[in-house]
Structure formats: C-alpha cells, structure tokens
Amino acid sequence: MADAPPSPKAILRGHKAQIHAAAFLRDNERLATGDADGHVVIWDLAIMRPAASWRAHENAILGLQGWGRDKFITHGRDHKLIVWKLGVEDEAALSKALPVESVPSPRPNPWMLHLIEVNTLNFCSFAACASHEGAGPLDPRDLGASSDILVAVPNTLLSEAIDIFALPSQTRVHTVKPGAQNGMAMCLRLLHLGGSLTLLAAFENGFASVHRLDAASGEWTTTYRSQAHSQPVLALDLHPSLDFFLTSSADAIIAKHPIPTSQQPLAEATADESDADEEIVRDTEAAPSLLSKASNANTTQPHATQHQKVQPWAHPLKTVNTKHAGQQSLRIRSDGKIFATAGWDSNVRVYSCKTLKELAVLQWHKAGAYAVAFADVGQDYAGRLPATEATAHKHTDAPTTATTTSSVVTGTGSGGALSGVKERRIRQARAAHWIAAGAKDGKVSLWDVY
C-alpha cells in the first residue's frame, strides 16, 4: 500500500497578511515569521503559542535572521534594516497579541540596537556573515554569537550594485558593482572562503555570480558568472560545505553553481566551450576537479598566469527543469542533505542536494507559499532524548494549532512534574527536523520530515 501523504504537525494562525519570511531562533526553541504588513511574531515551539509580537516595519518584511541568542535582525520594505535586542528576558515586556487581534494601544517594540537606511525597491533581502573568517560557528551561514558582522544589501542609488555594511559601527565598508547589464540584484549571500570575503549574487536577468575581495588591493574580482535562468532569480542559498550554491527562479529551473576562488585562463575557457553541455549536467562529485584546474594553474605556474588573459567561470554544475515555475525562498538544511522551496502553486517541495531530484511535496496551503525555513539539525538534540520520548515524538501525527489548548499543560500535578513536562517539550522542539512554511493565507504550517 502506498504511503499516506505527509501532514503538518502544527498550524500556526495569527497573521492577517501574507507571510514573506521565516527563521528559526535559539536552537529551534523559537520560530520568527514576518508578514506583508510589517508584523513579526515569535512563536514558542514548545507550546506552539506566540511569545512576542510587534510591528517591526511600516511595510512588508523582506528578511529575518537571528544574531546569537539575544539579537534579531529584520529587513523591511520601508527602507530600514533593524537589529533588535530580543533575548528570552526581553519577551516578557512584549505583547503576545497576534496581528489578527485588535489591541487598544500599539504593541511595544523591543529595544532597537541598530538601524541602517537601505534600498528595498527591488525586494532583495539582506545577507550577513561574521566580520572575520573563523569568528562564527561551524555553519558559516549562522552568525552565532559573533560580536561584529557584515551585512550586504542593494546599493541605495544603483539597484544592480551591492553595499556591505559593518555592524555595530553601521559604516559602509565595500560597494560591489557587478554591472548594469544584470538588472536589479534579487538575492545575496556573504561568506568567507579561502581567506577572502566572498559575495554570491543573483539578478533580475537570471544571472548568478561570485565576487571575491582582494584584501591587499581592496578590489573585487568576479570569479563566476552564469545565466542558468531565463527569468528573474527568486532565491539563493549556500551549501554548508561551501562547495556550491543553489538558485531558483520564476522559471522552472533549479541550478547548482560552483564557487571558484579564481578566474580561469581564457585559452582554457575557449576550449571548454565545446564541452558546455557536459559541464551543465555533471553532478556534484565532479566539482572538485573543475575548480582544481584553476587553483593548480595558479599554484604551479604563478608567473605564467599573470600574463594570461582570464575570465570568470561560466557554467553551472547542474541544472534541472522541475516543470514547476515560481519556486522561491529556497533553503538548504544545516546538514546539507536536502533543500526546500515555497511554490506559487501553494506547494512546498523537498529536494536532494546531491541529485536535485524531488523527494516530497508538502501540500496543505490553498494559496501561494512564499516562505520556507529549516530548523537546525546540526546539533545532536535527538541523541539527548530518551528513546521512548524520541519515538513518541516522531510518531505524533495529529496537527495542532496555535489557537487550541490541547498543547498546554493544565493538570494539577506538582511543580516538578510541570517543569519536567516543559523541559521535555523544549527538548522535543529542539530535536524535531522542522520545516516551516508560510503562505499567502497568513498561516504557518510546521512539518517534521526526514
């Protein structure tokens, strides 16, 4: 008998506008969601209820990200990027009233630590990384408790250029100009690779590119530039291994791109043109050999390559036509095995990072899905749970909602028993392999798969 289709473990209701962004915080204890009206809700995943809610921006939320356990970054279409103080102790002073609820007075805001005026005309969310290589946690996409970070956003005057700001100083330290022919910047990622600050960018014309900073000269070099899409790129995410990144677009293509650390000799590039089709469809295992050619050329013949003409690498590692147009909010899970997309057709699709093959379709929302987020599975929370608890958690199939009371302990047991129940639920929330999806209907579905 065929397996039954997956169903969500919980439905979180409370937004009255479409949900544009989602992010897990504090070792998966909290889920942050942001909507088209600028409201942010912080959900306590141990009890599936709001822990805090406020209007962070006057317009739609573009991006959300945690910074350590007590800071939270929001990016809105009101041309503001804000860093809030949001520790567990700060939640007590905030309203728990959801955006759909009428309140007699405005909801209080968390303490604002930093505010940067930015360009948000092109719907491009910010990207952030630690200021120095090795300053962050093992996953380079996580800011951890880094004291200083770098934030990339579209340039204020040139929508195809990218500004990089330093926090907490709030000073602009770099401006990258990929070229006016790309159109508007649509998606960004920042990372440190091989001792150089590296920017991944995708654009309105379907191009994706890699730009690396020469620390000595302060100049940016484009090491990769490829047009794998025929429509604007909607989402980009970096694999935790730093070997490649993925993009999805308004077309049906999902593309896997390399992250070269240097350009390729022009003569070699010309010879490779005849093998373009082979390069596009080759799989992940071939990636090291492609990039090693450029690195070996630079290391074995340093003087010869100085006089050779070079150009950016031009072929993606792999492209797949999924037959499903309009997949956005592409996110790769922290273990690097799978990724998910939110589709305009209301479906959330899960794919293999290695093969780009579709593994599952999560169907619940009736309107377009716009945001998806993965819980961090890098830490072995499941290993800390007793076997009976982990098994019971994995086989709990009945969905819950944020407006029901079935998930709240109301028994008359001792304080120690209540505390034990709370600790167990916190551990279960941390151990679950959550996928959160937000949609046009203002609801958030939580799934526990793979």
Side-chain angles (χ1 to χ4, degrees):
M1 182 179 296
D3 292 337
S7 60
K9 299 294 182 180
I11 303 298
L12 306 179
R13 310 170 191 268
H15 287 278
K16 63 180 179 180
Q18 56 198 32
I19 296 171
H20 282 180
F24 285 88
L25 311 174
R26 302 186 207 142
D27 299 330
N28 310 333
E29 293 178 16
R30 298 287 190 270
L31 171 67
T33 53
D35 64 28
D37 289 338
H39 287 280
V40 171
V41 178
I42 308 297
W43 302 91
D44 185 340
L45 296 183
I47 58 175
M48 300 297 173
R49 288 183 175 275
S53 175
W54 76 99
R55 192 175 188 190
H57 296 272
E58 297 299 319
N59 212 319
I61 300 292
L62 290 176
L64 307 170
Q65 187 171 356
W67 180 4
R69 295 188 65 87
D70 61 350
K71 291 187 285 294
F72 180 58
I73 307 172
T74 64
H75 185 194
R77 287 211 68 214
D78 56 355
H79 307 287
K80 295 177 182 177
L81 186 143
I82 303 176
V83 180
W84 309 90
K85 186 176 183 300
L86 191 68
V88 176
E89 65 282 358
D90 301 305
E91 293 176 351
L94 301 178
S95 172
K96 291 179 173 57
L98 292 164
V100 294
E101 302 176 31
S102 298
V103 292
S105 58
R107 298 171 177 82
N109 289 353
W111 186 262
M112 187 184 299
L113 298 176
H114 309 289
L115 187 151
I116 304 176
E117 298 285 344
V118 297
N119 169 27
T120 55
L121 295 177
N122 46 346
F123 303 92
C124 179
S125 178
F126 75 99
C129 73
S131 293
H132 306 286
E133 190 169 12
L138 294 179
D139 187 345
R141 305 172 305 167
D142 186 1
L143 299 180
S146 306
S147 58
D148 304 308
I149 66 171
L150 299 174
V151 176
V153 293
N155 181 267
T156 304
L157 300 178
L158 302 174
S159 58
E160 71 275 3
I162 295 101
D163 288 334
I164 299 177
F165 291 86
L167 286 175
S169 66
Q170 299 183 201
T171 56
R172 184 171 62 182
V173 293
H174 301 288
T175 297
V176 185
K177 298 179 179 179
Q181 71 277 9
N182 291 327
M184 295 188 298
M186 301 295 291
C187 313
L188 305 172
R189 283 292 183 274
L190 269 180
L191 67 148
H192 295 277
L193 181 63
S196 294
L197 180 63
T198 303
L199 171 71
L200 313 179
F203 299 92
E204 184 182 14
N205 63 352
F207 272 86
S209 56
V210 177
H211 310 271
R212 289 174 59 80
L213 174 65
D214 185 334
S217 65
E219 296 182 353
W220 288 83
T221 301
T222 301
T223 61
Y224 173 78
R225 184 172 183 270
S226 178
Q227 187 178 24
H229 302 280
S230 60
Q231 298 291 328
V233 179
L234 298 179
L236 178 157
D237 203 10
L238 169 69
H239 193 269
S241 68
L242 307 188
D243 290 336
F244 60 89
F245 65 99
L246 299 174
T247 56
S248 63
S249 167
D251 59 22
I253 300 296
I254 289 179
K256 179 187 291 188
H257 306 270
I259 311 178
T261 56
S262 62
Q263 293 185 332
Q264 61 175 339
L266 186 58
E268 183 177 345
T270 303
D272 285 347
E273 289 299 325
S274 60
D275 300 328
D277 294 336
E278 180 183 351
E279 294 292 342
I280 289 176
V281 299
R282 65 194 180 84
D283 60 18
T284 314
E285 283 75 9
S289 62
L290 174 65
L291 302 184
S292 63
K293 291 189 291 186
S295 60
N296 290 339
N298 289 338
T299 55
T300 57
Q301 298 178 340
H303 300 292
T305 55
Q306 289 179 0
H307 303 288
Q308 280 185 322
K309 292 184 178 180
V310 293
Q311 71 175 22
W313 296 86
H315 301 306
L317 300 177
K318 190 171 186 178
T319 60
V320 171
N321 188 343
T322 65
K323 310 297 184 182
H324 304 290
Q327 297 186 71
Q328 61 186 56
S329 190
L330 186 154
R331 293 293 180 269
I332 301 175
R333 197 167 67 177
S334 58
D335 61 0
K337 294 181 179 179
I338 59 175
F339 68 94
T341 62
W344 292 348
D345 61 359
S346 77
N347 294 326
V348 174
R349 290 182 167 83
V350 182
Y351 296 88
S352 164
C353 283
K354 182 176 182 180
T355 64
L356 304 190
K357 290 183 178 179
E358 184 179 288
L359 302 177
V361 180
L362 309 181
Q363 297 178 323
W364 185 86
H365 297 278
K366 304 303 180 184
Y370 295 149
V372 69
F374 272 113
D376 182 9
V377 298
Q379 301 191 45
D380 187 18
Y381 292 122
R384 305 178 193 177
L385 291 173
T388 53
E389 292 182 9
T391 302
H393 174 64
K394 283 292 183 183
H395 291 84
T396 303
D397 294 326
T400 59
T401 70
T403 56
T404 62
T405 58
S406 59
S407 61
V408 182
V409 178
T410 56
T412 57
S414 65
L418 289 173
S419 177
V421 170
K422 180 179 179 180
E423 290 298 324
R424 185 178 73 249
R425 288 181 172 171
I426 291 174
R427 284 183 292 155
Q428 288 177 346
R430 288 179 169 181
H433 289 192
W434 294 123
I435 299 178
K440 188 176 180 180
D441 55 15
K443 300 179 180 65
V444 181
S445 58
L446 273 176
W447 312 74
D448 185 4
V449 296
Y450 298 108

